[in-house]
Amino acid sequence: MTFVAGIFFLIFGLSVGWSSFSARRYWTETRGVVTNLDFKKERVEYEYSVNGQQYAGSSGDDPNWNRVGKCIRIYYDKNNPSTSRLHNWFNEIVFCW
């Protein structure tokens, strides 16, 4: 049983590591701001800009860990900046400038 659990965690760890590596390779980090919290749908809406162009996005993130106006990390597709995802580690402090 311990062996099976070890294999499971090894595979899980490799997949998380690959996902993180892949994200850094194809996605670019920027800062964004939470604009709306939808508690019914458990969605966080945000805005960010890339090269002076404004974009909006939303994520199925827990709105309880956010607040409107909070500065957050956004990852966007280098080839299509309108495609983005929220990077939020609960109450991580992110500075916007």
Side-chain angles (χ1 to χ4, degrees):
M1 183 67 172
T2 304
F3 177 75
V4 172
I7 294 295
F8 170 77
F9 285 112
L10 174 66
I11 292 171
F12 178 75
L14 289 174
S15 69
V16 168
W18 177 255
S19 175
S20 177
F21 170 76
S22 177
R24 281 184 297 229
R25 191 168 165 202
Y26 297 105
W27 298 75
T28 301
E29 180 182 326
T30 190
R31 301 292 190 258
V33 178
V34 174
T35 57
N36 188 41
L37 303 173
D38 187 338
F39 289 92
K40 265 188 174 175
K41 296 180 182 178
E42 292 192 346
R43 297 202 64 75
V44 174
E45 296 174 3
Y46 54 87
E47 291 181 351
Y48 62 101
S49 65
V50 176
N51 297 325
Q53 176 74 39
Q54 286 290 117
Y55 296 96
S58 64
S59 174
D61 198 53
D62 184 357
N64 292 306
W65 289 102
N66 289 289
R67 63 176 165 66
V68 172
K70 179 181 177 184
C71 186
I72 52 176
R73 287 183 203 218
I74 305 294
Y75 287 98
Y76 65 90
D77 184 335
K78 295 175 189 177
N79 299 318
N80 183 12
S82 64
T83 301
S84 65
R85 67 184 195 183
L86 173 65
H87 170 84
N88 189 13
W89 291 100
F90 303 106
N91 280 330
E92 174 186 44
I93 297 173
V94 177
F95 297 99
C96 285
W97 41 79

XYZ file of all heavy atoms in Angstrom:
810
model
N 0.823 -1.196 0.000
C 0.000 0.000 0.000
C 0.869 1.263 0.000
O 0.566 2.218 -0.683
C -0.929 -0.026 1.222
C -1.874 1.122 1.280
S -3.043 1.003 -0.055
C -4.137 2.285 0.352
N 1.937 1.270 0.793
C 2.830 2.418 0.853
C 3.490 2.663 -0.497
O 3.652 3.810 -0.929
C 3.911 2.201 1.930
O 3.263 1.936 3.169
C 4.795 3.410 2.069
N 3.854 1.595 -1.183
C 4.466 1.705 -2.501
C 3.522 2.385 -3.483
O 3.920 3.271 -4.241
C 4.882 0.321 -3.003
C 5.464 0.354 -4.390
C 6.745 0.828 -4.607
C 4.717 -0.077 -5.482
C 7.284 0.880 -5.883
C 5.232 -0.036 -6.755
C 6.528 0.440 -6.957
N 2.255 1.977 -3.475
C 1.246 2.550 -4.380
C 1.066 4.033 -4.079
O 1.012 4.864 -4.991
C -0.091 1.795 -4.260
C -1.184 2.497 -5.045
C 0.069 0.359 -4.721
N 1.002 4.383 -2.795
C 0.852 5.786 -2.417
C 2.074 6.583 -2.871
O 1.948 7.709 -3.354
C 0.654 5.916 -0.909
N 3.255 6.003 -2.739
C 4.480 6.672 -3.175
C 4.475 6.935 -4.660
O 4.863 8.020 -5.121
N 4.051 5.948 -5.441
C 3.967 6.113 -6.904
C 2.969 7.208 -7.255
O 3.228 8.046 -8.113
C 3.571 4.768 -7.580
C 4.672 3.734 -7.390
C 3.236 4.975 -9.044
C 5.973 4.096 -8.086
N 1.833 7.207 -6.566
C 0.809 8.234 -6.817
C 1.386 9.627 -6.592
O 1.245 10.520 -7.430
C -0.405 8.016 -5.909
C -1.370 9.162 -5.938
C -2.243 9.335 -7.001
C -1.390 10.094 -4.913
C -3.125 10.397 -7.042
C -2.257 11.158 -4.939
C -3.131 11.316 -6.005
N 2.047 9.833 -5.448
C 2.596 11.152 -5.143
C 3.741 11.532 -6.077
O 3.925 12.695 -6.402
C 3.021 11.232 -3.676
C 1.848 11.354 -2.747
C 1.525 10.322 -1.887
C 1.045 12.484 -2.764
C 0.434 10.429 -1.041
C -0.046 12.593 -1.930
C -0.354 11.566 -1.063
N 4.493 10.566 -6.530
C 5.552 10.836 -7.487
C 4.965 11.339 -8.800
O 5.394 12.360 -9.344
C 6.387 9.577 -7.738
C 7.448 9.702 -8.836
C 8.522 10.704 -8.415
C 8.051 8.367 -9.150
N 3.949 10.659 -9.298
C 3.306 11.060 -10.550
C 2.644 12.426 -10.391
O 2.762 13.301 -11.245
C 2.300 9.987 -11.019
C 3.064 8.731 -11.426
C 1.427 10.514 -12.152
C 2.189 7.535 -11.690
N 1.961 12.615 -9.263
C 1.300 13.894 -8.999
C 2.333 15.019 -8.949
O 2.160 16.077 -9.548
C 0.512 13.826 -7.688
C -0.148 15.119 -7.321
C -1.291 15.544 -7.975
C 0.385 15.926 -6.327
C -1.898 16.749 -7.648
C -0.215 17.128 -5.986
C -1.351 17.533 -6.645
N 3.424 14.803 -8.246
C 4.478 15.812 -8.130
C 5.089 16.157 -9.469
O 5.347 17.327 -9.775
N 5.330 15.145 -10.298
C 5.883 15.396 -11.631
C 4.924 16.195 -12.489
O 5.337 17.088 -13.226
C 6.252 14.083 -12.308
C 7.475 13.365 -11.731
C 7.630 12.001 -12.394
C 8.726 14.196 -11.905
N 3.629 15.901 -12.401
C 2.653 16.625 -13.215
C 2.545 18.077 -12.770
O 2.439 18.984 -13.589
C 1.288 15.946 -13.184
O 0.688 16.068 -11.911
N 2.588 18.330 -11.458
C 2.541 19.704 -10.964
C 3.797 20.447 -11.380
O 3.752 21.599 -11.819
C 2.364 19.721 -9.424
C 2.599 21.126 -8.864
C 0.981 19.226 -9.050
N 4.947 19.801 -11.270
C 6.204 20.423 -11.678
C 6.212 20.749 -13.151
O 6.646 21.834 -13.562
N 5.736 19.837 -13.981
C 5.691 20.077 -15.426
C 4.736 21.218 -15.742
O 5.027 22.065 -16.579
C 5.280 18.818 -16.174
C 5.165 19.086 -17.648
C 4.032 19.221 -18.377
C 6.257 19.301 -18.556
N 4.334 19.505 -19.681
C 5.687 19.555 -19.825
C 7.632 19.310 -18.421
C 6.465 19.811 -20.943
C 8.398 19.573 -19.544
C 7.819 19.812 -20.775
N 3.610 21.255 -15.061
C 2.644 22.323 -15.286
C 3.260 23.679 -14.960
O 3.094 24.644 -15.692
C 1.406 22.085 -14.427
O 0.522 23.154 -14.530
N 3.987 23.750 -13.868
C 4.641 24.994 -13.470
C 5.706 25.394 -14.495
O 5.807 26.554 -14.891
C 5.259 24.821 -12.090
O 5.956 25.973 -11.727
N 6.505 24.446 -14.940
C 7.528 24.705 -15.946
C 6.892 25.185 -17.243
O 7.318 26.158 -17.850
C 8.351 23.444 -16.203
C 9.269 23.559 -17.379
C 10.447 24.288 -17.288
C 8.948 22.946 -18.582
C 11.297 24.407 -18.383
C 9.793 23.055 -19.678
C 10.960 23.784 -19.574
N 5.841 24.505 -17.661
C 5.138 24.855 -18.894
C 4.541 26.257 -18.809
O 4.593 27.024 -19.765
C 4.054 23.822 -19.172
O 3.325 24.166 -20.304
N 3.978 26.599 -17.658
C 3.361 27.915 -17.486
C 4.400 29.013 -17.647
O 4.149 30.018 -18.307
C 2.689 28.014 -16.119
N 5.574 28.844 -17.067
C 6.612 29.869 -17.183
C 7.122 29.975 -18.608
O 7.574 31.029 -19.035
C 7.762 29.548 -16.238
C 7.454 29.928 -14.811
C 8.660 29.677 -13.983
N 8.927 28.254 -14.039
C 9.162 27.484 -13.013
N 9.214 27.984 -11.837
N 9.360 26.201 -13.142
N 7.073 28.897 -19.333
C 7.601 28.888 -20.687
C 6.674 29.599 -21.673
O 7.136 30.265 -22.594
C 7.803 27.443 -21.109
C 8.571 27.276 -22.365
C 8.963 25.845 -22.553
N 9.383 25.636 -23.912
C 9.394 24.489 -24.511
N 9.017 23.414 -23.852
N 9.792 24.363 -25.739
N 5.373 29.451 -21.493
C 4.417 29.985 -22.458
C 3.610 31.175 -21.943
O 2.939 31.837 -22.697
C 3.454 28.895 -22.911
C 4.169 27.779 -23.624
C 4.386 26.558 -22.999
C 4.667 27.959 -24.908
C 5.058 25.530 -23.651
C 5.341 26.941 -25.568
C 5.529 25.729 -24.931
O 6.206 24.729 -25.571
N 3.643 31.425 -20.656
C 2.844 32.488 -20.068
C 3.764 33.551 -19.488
O 4.842 33.261 -19.006
C 1.944 31.929 -18.970
C 0.952 30.926 -19.471
C 1.212 29.632 -19.823
C -0.430 31.115 -19.698
N 0.062 29.023 -20.243
C -0.960 29.907 -20.178
C -1.285 32.203 -19.528
C -2.299 29.749 -20.488
C -2.625 32.045 -19.834
C -3.119 30.829 -20.320
N 3.297 34.788 -19.516
C 4.042 35.913 -18.976
C 3.279 36.480 -17.784
O 2.057 36.608 -17.826
C 4.221 36.998 -20.054
O 4.912 36.418 -21.157
C 5.004 38.169 -19.526
N 4.013 36.841 -16.758
C 3.388 37.374 -15.548
C 3.217 38.878 -15.648
O 4.070 39.589 -16.175
C 4.259 37.045 -14.337
C 3.696 37.561 -13.038
C 4.592 37.279 -11.857
O 5.266 36.234 -11.839
O 4.616 38.129 -10.951
N 2.104 39.371 -15.132
C 1.859 40.798 -14.980
C 1.026 40.992 -13.720
O 0.675 40.036 -13.046
C 1.158 41.388 -16.222
O 1.160 42.815 -16.124
C -0.266 40.879 -16.374
N 0.715 42.211 -13.420
C -0.129 42.532 -12.264
C -1.506 42.915 -12.754
O -1.667 43.508 -13.819
C 0.455 43.679 -11.443
C 1.843 43.426 -10.895
C 1.795 42.341 -9.833
N 3.059 42.225 -9.122
C 3.955 41.279 -9.366
N 3.749 40.401 -10.313
N 5.054 41.215 -8.656
N -2.498 42.591 -11.959
C -3.868 42.954 -12.268
C -4.581 43.374 -10.997
O -4.013 43.317 -9.905
N -5.831 43.779 -11.150
C -6.627 44.236 -10.021
C -7.974 43.523 -10.047
O -8.604 43.404 -11.102
C -6.840 45.763 -10.086
C -7.713 46.245 -8.952
C -5.507 46.483 -10.063
N -8.418 43.044 -8.896
C -9.735 42.420 -8.777
C -10.794 43.498 -8.973
O -10.751 44.549 -8.332
C -9.907 41.750 -7.389
C -11.326 41.223 -7.222
C -8.894 40.633 -7.210
N -11.749 43.233 -9.878
C -12.797 44.214 -10.168
C -14.172 43.789 -9.669
O -15.041 44.627 -9.458
C -12.889 44.483 -11.680
O -13.121 43.237 -12.357
C -11.612 45.130 -12.191
N -14.388 42.477 -9.502
C -15.694 42.000 -9.056
C -15.550 40.613 -8.441
O -14.715 39.816 -8.885
C -16.677 41.960 -10.229
C -18.098 41.657 -9.780
O -18.551 42.168 -8.759
N -18.791 40.839 -10.529
N -16.372 40.332 -7.457
C -16.421 39.003 -6.830
C -17.822 38.452 -6.990
O -18.791 39.083 -6.569
C -16.062 39.110 -5.341
C -14.705 39.723 -5.032
C -14.552 39.925 -3.531
C -13.589 38.841 -5.555
N -17.941 37.307 -7.612
C -19.236 36.653 -7.800
C -19.268 35.438 -6.877
O -18.717 34.393 -7.186
C -19.406 36.239 -9.250
C -20.796 35.705 -9.550
O -21.490 35.258 -8.612
O -21.189 35.742 -10.726
N -19.911 35.605 -5.723
C -19.921 34.540 -4.724
C -20.819 33.374 -5.139
O -20.571 32.242 -4.748
C -20.349 35.093 -3.363
C -19.301 35.978 -2.751
C -19.317 37.339 -2.968
C -18.282 35.429 -1.995
C -18.335 38.154 -2.419
C -17.292 36.235 -1.451
C -17.325 37.598 -1.657
N -21.865 33.660 -5.944
C -22.749 32.576 -6.400
C -22.007 31.612 -7.320
O -22.122 30.407 -7.199
C -23.958 33.159 -7.148
C -25.162 33.366 -6.316
C -26.324 33.756 -7.210
C -27.582 33.827 -6.392
N -28.704 34.319 -7.172
N -21.267 32.157 -8.263
C -20.557 31.325 -9.245
C -19.124 31.021 -8.821
O -18.402 30.348 -9.548
C -20.544 32.033 -10.608
C -21.911 32.210 -11.198
C -21.823 32.915 -12.539
C -23.200 33.142 -13.125
N -23.130 33.870 -14.388
N -18.723 31.553 -7.650
C -17.358 31.390 -7.158
C -16.345 31.806 -8.221
O -15.479 31.042 -8.632
C -17.097 29.965 -6.664
C -17.873 29.622 -5.425
C -17.412 28.331 -4.780
O -16.679 27.557 -5.423
O -17.791 28.115 -3.627
N -16.492 33.051 -8.671
C -15.605 33.591 -9.701
C -15.026 34.919 -9.239
O -15.675 35.686 -8.552
C -16.358 33.796 -11.015
C -16.875 32.478 -11.564
C -17.155 32.488 -13.031
N -16.049 32.701 -13.911
C -15.098 31.808 -14.210
N -15.097 30.642 -13.626
N -14.157 32.076 -15.077
N -13.815 35.153 -9.665
C -13.134 36.419 -9.426
C -12.900 37.060 -10.790
O -12.340 36.432 -11.688
C -11.782 36.183 -8.712
C -11.004 37.482 -8.594
C -11.995 35.547 -7.350
N -13.345 38.294 -10.952
C -13.124 39.022 -12.198
C -12.009 40.031 -11.965
O -11.898 40.612 -10.885
C -14.412 39.722 -12.635
C -15.515 38.728 -12.949
C -16.849 39.390 -13.242
O -16.933 40.635 -13.267
O -17.823 38.645 -13.440
N -11.182 40.238 -12.982
C -10.012 41.100 -12.830
C -9.697 41.813 -14.129
O -10.188 41.435 -15.203
C -8.801 40.281 -12.369
C -8.501 39.088 -13.251
C -7.697 39.217 -14.388
C -9.013 37.826 -12.961
C -7.416 38.135 -15.199
C -8.741 36.739 -13.772
C -7.945 36.897 -14.881
O -7.670 35.823 -15.697
N -8.883 42.844 -14.029
C -8.396 43.588 -15.186
C -6.883 43.667 -15.118
O -6.296 43.662 -14.029
C -8.976 45.008 -15.204
C -10.451 45.051 -15.490
C -10.998 46.468 -15.519
O -10.271 47.424 -15.153
O -12.165 46.620 -15.911
N -6.272 43.748 -16.281
C -4.820 43.865 -16.383
C -4.497 44.523 -17.711
O -5.364 44.656 -18.577
C -4.150 42.484 -16.277
C -4.544 41.518 -17.371
C -3.713 41.280 -18.454
C -5.765 40.851 -17.334
C -4.073 40.399 -19.462
C -6.135 39.971 -18.330
C -5.293 39.742 -19.397
O -5.665 38.877 -20.389
N -3.269 44.988 -17.870
C -2.894 45.595 -19.141
C -1.581 45.000 -19.643
O -0.725 44.595 -18.852
C -2.767 47.114 -19.012
O -1.718 47.448 -18.151
N -1.478 44.939 -20.957
C -0.279 44.441 -21.628
C 0.050 45.440 -22.732
O -0.790 45.696 -23.604
C -0.509 43.029 -22.229
C 0.713 42.578 -23.007
C -0.884 42.030 -21.157
N 1.233 46.023 -22.662
C 1.673 47.012 -23.655
C 0.648 48.125 -23.851
O 0.354 48.529 -24.974
C 1.992 46.332 -24.989
C 3.137 45.358 -24.861
O 4.076 45.580 -24.107
N 3.045 44.261 -25.588
N 0.054 48.597 -22.760
C -0.902 49.692 -22.817
C -2.322 49.297 -23.191
O -3.219 50.122 -23.155
N -2.543 48.046 -23.547
C -3.876 47.551 -23.923
C -4.532 46.922 -22.694
O -3.930 46.086 -22.043
C -3.751 46.513 -25.039
C -5.049 45.857 -25.444
C -5.947 46.776 -26.249
O -5.471 47.529 -27.080
N -7.231 46.706 -25.985
N -5.766 47.354 -22.380
C -6.497 46.822 -21.228
C -7.186 45.506 -21.588
O -7.732 45.364 -22.683
C -7.552 47.821 -20.759
C -6.989 49.017 -20.033
C -6.432 48.641 -18.679
O -5.244 48.790 -18.462
N -7.250 48.156 -17.796
N -7.172 44.576 -20.655
C -7.850 43.283 -20.806
C -8.614 42.975 -19.527
O -8.302 43.519 -18.465
C -6.838 42.165 -21.065
C -6.085 42.307 -22.354
C -4.830 42.899 -22.386
C -6.633 41.850 -23.548
C -4.130 43.033 -23.571
C -5.936 41.982 -24.742
C -4.693 42.573 -24.745
O -4.009 42.708 -25.921
N -9.598 42.109 -19.657
C -10.364 41.652 -18.501
C -10.410 40.133 -18.541
O -10.381 39.522 -19.614
C -11.773 42.229 -18.528
N -10.485 39.542 -17.381
C -10.567 38.094 -17.298
C -11.326 37.676 -16.058
O -11.711 38.506 -15.233
N -11.555 36.383 -15.946
C -12.209 35.854 -14.751
C -11.649 34.469 -14.471
O -11.109 33.806 -15.354
C -13.725 35.795 -14.930
O -14.070 34.896 -15.955
N -11.778 34.079 -13.224
C -11.217 32.807 -12.800
C -12.142 32.159 -11.791
O -12.805 32.842 -11.017
C -9.843 33.047 -12.163
O -9.341 31.860 -11.618
N -12.176 30.852 -11.792
C -12.957 30.100 -10.820
C -12.231 30.007 -9.497
O -12.039 28.929 -8.961
N -11.797 31.124 -8.991
C -11.056 31.180 -7.740
C -12.014 31.507 -6.602
O -13.046 32.134 -6.819
C -9.969 32.255 -7.854
C -8.893 32.107 -6.814
O -8.342 30.998 -6.714
O -8.614 33.083 -6.115
N -11.681 31.119 -5.403
C -12.525 31.367 -4.235
C -12.575 32.866 -3.931
O -11.562 33.447 -3.548
C -11.976 30.599 -3.036
C -12.860 30.724 -1.807
O -13.877 31.444 -1.856
O -12.527 30.099 -0.794
N -13.744 33.502 -4.085
C -13.830 34.939 -3.844
C -13.612 35.324 -2.384
O -13.332 36.471 -2.069
C -15.238 35.308 -4.309
C -15.985 34.051 -4.414
C -14.993 32.938 -4.554
N -13.732 34.372 -1.462
C -13.548 34.675 -0.049
C -12.119 35.099 0.270
O -11.872 35.725 1.295
C -13.932 33.482 0.816
C -15.413 33.223 0.759
O -16.208 34.113 1.011
N -15.796 32.020 0.386
N -11.169 34.745 -0.574
C -9.772 35.094 -0.344
C -9.381 36.385 -1.050
O -8.211 36.763 -1.062
C -8.855 33.964 -0.816
C -8.944 32.771 0.060
C -9.636 31.627 -0.193
C -8.348 32.593 1.344
N -9.500 30.753 0.849
C -8.710 31.319 1.809
C -7.538 33.387 2.152
C -8.303 30.820 3.034
C -7.120 32.891 3.368
C -7.502 31.626 3.789
N -10.330 37.052 -1.663
C -10.042 38.251 -2.435
C -10.909 39.406 -1.983
O -11.854 39.230 -1.220
C -10.285 37.981 -3.927
C -9.240 37.075 -4.505
O -8.103 37.469 -4.668
N -9.600 35.840 -4.795
N -10.596 40.573 -2.489
C -11.424 41.751 -2.279
C -11.285 42.634 -3.513
O -10.249 42.606 -4.184
C -11.030 42.509 -1.016
C -9.643 43.054 -1.037
C -9.311 43.882 0.198
N -7.895 44.104 0.332
C -7.131 44.821 -0.482
N -7.665 45.386 -1.544
N -5.847 44.972 -0.270
N -12.317 43.389 -3.821
C -12.268 44.299 -4.962
C -11.159 45.318 -4.706
O -11.028 45.847 -3.606
C -13.631 44.992 -5.168
C -13.536 46.079 -6.225
C -14.688 43.964 -5.554
N -10.335 45.536 -5.720
C -9.220 46.459 -5.618
C -7.907 45.796 -5.241
O -6.857 46.428 -5.295
N -7.948 44.511 -4.884
C -6.730 43.799 -4.495
C -5.825 43.617 -5.714
O -6.273 43.256 -6.793
C -7.079 42.440 -3.914
C -5.870 41.618 -3.497
C -6.280 40.258 -2.950
C -5.054 39.427 -2.612
N -5.437 38.087 -2.175
N -4.555 43.843 -5.521
C -3.562 43.617 -6.568
C -3.234 42.124 -6.610
O -2.996 41.511 -5.572
C -2.314 44.434 -6.261
S -1.092 44.354 -7.572
N -3.262 41.545 -7.810
C -3.048 40.107 -7.962
C -2.093 39.823 -9.108
O -1.871 40.663 -9.977
C -4.392 39.378 -8.228
C -5.128 40.041 -9.390
C -5.248 39.333 -6.986
C -6.390 39.369 -9.806
N -1.536 38.620 -9.103
C -0.685 38.177 -10.212
C -1.572 37.568 -11.291
O -2.444 36.761 -11.008
C 0.295 37.106 -9.754
C 1.393 37.608 -8.923
C 2.314 36.464 -8.611
N 3.047 36.775 -7.405
C 4.309 36.466 -7.225
N 4.969 35.806 -8.142
N 4.911 36.782 -6.109
N -1.275 37.934 -12.522
C -1.981 37.395 -13.680
C -0.927 36.787 -14.595
O 0.142 37.355 -14.790
C -2.720 38.515 -14.454
C -3.669 39.299 -13.552
C -3.444 37.947 -15.677
C -4.820 38.507 -13.027
N -1.245 35.644 -15.169
C -0.417 35.072 -16.225
C -1.218 35.131 -17.512
O -2.375 34.737 -17.546
C -0.033 33.624 -15.901
C 0.992 33.535 -14.808
C 0.614 33.284 -13.503
C 2.341 33.712 -15.096
C 1.563 33.220 -12.494
C 3.290 33.650 -14.097
C 2.891 33.399 -12.798
O 3.829 33.338 -11.804
N -0.597 35.658 -18.567
C -1.286 35.744 -19.849
C -0.455 35.063 -20.931
O 0.759 34.950 -20.830
C -1.585 37.202 -20.228
C -0.368 38.056 -20.487
C 0.165 38.148 -21.768
C 0.249 38.759 -19.460
C 1.290 38.924 -22.008
C 1.365 39.541 -19.699
C 1.881 39.611 -20.977
O 2.991 40.373 -21.229
N -1.148 34.620 -21.961
C -0.518 33.949 -23.095
C 0.252 34.987 -23.909
O -0.310 35.991 -24.338
C -1.608 33.292 -23.945
C -1.068 32.481 -25.101
O 0.062 32.757 -25.572
O -1.770 31.574 -25.545
N 1.537 34.748 -24.110
C 2.382 35.692 -24.856
C 1.853 35.946 -26.263
O 1.963 37.048 -26.791
C 3.800 35.149 -24.988
C 4.530 35.007 -23.700
C 5.868 34.345 -23.955
C 6.550 33.976 -22.664
N 7.809 33.270 -22.871
N 1.291 34.919 -26.874
C 0.812 35.033 -28.250
C -0.610 35.563 -28.347
O -1.054 35.937 -29.421
C 0.896 33.672 -28.947
C 2.320 33.176 -28.992
O 3.240 33.937 -29.262
N 2.505 31.902 -28.698
N -1.334 35.550 -27.224
C -2.721 36.005 -27.205
C -2.999 36.590 -25.819
O -3.560 35.915 -24.966
C -3.667 34.841 -27.519
C -5.102 35.273 -27.582
O -5.410 36.460 -27.612
N -5.997 34.304 -27.591
N -2.622 37.850 -25.588
C -2.727 38.433 -24.250
C -4.135 38.466 -23.662
O -4.289 38.631 -22.462
C -2.188 39.853 -24.429
C -1.372 39.808 -25.658
C -1.984 38.757 -26.531
N -5.155 38.294 -24.486
C -6.518 38.278 -23.937
C -6.816 36.961 -23.216
O -7.805 36.856 -22.492
C -7.551 38.517 -25.045
O -7.511 37.463 -25.984
N -5.961 35.969 -23.385
C -6.092 34.701 -22.669
C -5.229 34.779 -21.419
O -4.021 34.971 -21.498
C -5.629 33.525 -23.550
O -6.413 33.507 -24.739
C -5.767 32.211 -22.820
N -5.868 34.651 -20.266
C -5.138 34.817 -19.019
C -5.652 33.857 -17.959
O -6.701 33.235 -18.118
C -5.301 36.254 -18.506
O -6.657 36.497 -18.183
N -4.887 33.788 -16.884
C -5.325 33.024 -15.721
C -4.810 33.720 -14.477
O -3.784 34.403 -14.490
C -4.875 31.582 -15.799
C -3.402 31.378 -15.714
C -3.092 29.919 -15.901
N -1.733 29.655 -15.462
C -1.158 28.496 -15.550
N -1.821 27.487 -16.056
N 0.056 28.316 -15.117
N -5.548 33.540 -13.439
C -5.234 34.175 -12.167
C -4.261 33.310 -11.392
O -4.414 32.094 -11.327
C -6.534 34.345 -11.373
C -6.458 34.824 -9.945
C -5.912 36.238 -9.906
C -7.832 34.789 -9.314
N -3.256 33.943 -10.832
C -2.335 33.257 -9.925
C -2.595 33.848 -8.560
O -2.297 35.000 -8.307
C -0.881 33.495 -10.327
C 0.089 33.010 -9.292
N 0.495 31.710 -9.241
C 0.700 33.636 -8.274
C 1.337 31.558 -8.232
N 1.477 32.730 -7.622
N -3.183 33.080 -7.668
C -3.528 33.615 -6.358
C -3.235 32.586 -5.293
O -3.846 31.531 -5.266
C -5.006 34.006 -6.327
C -5.355 34.764 -5.073
O -4.489 35.213 -4.343
N -6.629 34.896 -4.821
N -2.294 32.896 -4.451
C -1.980 32.022 -3.323
C -2.600 32.611 -2.079
O -1.937 33.196 -1.251
C -0.478 31.856 -3.167
C 0.096 31.084 -4.282
C 0.744 31.569 -5.372
C 0.059 29.673 -4.453
N 1.112 30.562 -6.206
C 0.708 29.377 -5.670
C -0.465 28.624 -3.703
C 0.849 28.075 -6.140
C -0.317 27.335 -4.175
C 0.332 27.070 -5.378
N -3.917 32.508 -1.975
C -4.684 32.968 -0.838
C -4.377 34.435 -0.533
O -4.654 35.276 -1.342
C -4.496 32.036 0.370
C -4.881 30.637 0.032
C -3.925 29.652 -0.154
C -6.202 30.301 -0.147
C -4.286 28.355 -0.494
C -6.583 29.012 -0.486
C -5.616 28.041 -0.660
N -3.789 34.744 0.573
C -3.544 36.141 0.926
C -2.132 36.586 0.604
O -1.538 37.369 1.337
C -3.861 36.379 2.409
C -5.338 36.545 2.626
O -6.037 37.021 1.757
N -5.815 36.143 3.776
N -1.593 36.102 -0.489
C -0.275 36.520 -0.921
C -0.264 38.040 -1.135
O -1.189 38.606 -1.690
C 0.070 35.821 -2.242
C 1.348 36.292 -2.857
C 1.568 35.671 -4.223
O 0.616 35.605 -5.008
O 2.694 35.278 -4.489
N 0.792 38.683 -0.687
C 0.905 40.125 -0.871
C 1.606 40.391 -2.200
O 2.714 39.920 -2.432
C 1.693 40.761 0.283
C 0.935 40.566 1.600
C 1.941 42.241 0.013
C 1.698 41.008 2.823
N 0.919 41.105 -3.084
C 1.461 41.459 -4.393
C 1.425 42.973 -4.492
O 0.412 43.592 -4.220
C 0.622 40.827 -5.532
C 1.143 41.244 -6.877
C 0.605 39.307 -5.392
N 2.525 43.568 -4.864
C 2.594 45.013 -5.001
C 2.372 45.418 -6.449
O 2.968 44.863 -7.352
C 3.958 45.530 -4.518
C 4.196 45.261 -3.059
C 4.972 44.183 -2.667
C 3.627 46.063 -2.100
C 5.177 43.926 -1.325
C 3.826 45.818 -0.752
C 4.612 44.740 -0.360
N 1.502 46.398 -6.651
C 1.262 46.951 -7.984
C 2.012 48.261 -8.104
O 1.986 49.073 -7.189
C -0.217 47.181 -8.212
S -1.137 45.693 -8.514
N 2.648 48.444 -9.216
C 3.304 49.723 -9.486
C 3.173 50.067 -10.940
O 2.802 49.345 -11.749
C 4.768 49.756 -9.094
C 5.516 48.528 -9.409
C 6.023 48.138 -10.604
C 5.848 47.476 -8.498
N 6.649 46.936 -10.496
C 6.564 46.501 -9.211
C 5.616 47.258 -7.151
C 7.052 45.337 -8.624
C 6.096 46.100 -6.592
C 6.810 45.159 -7.330
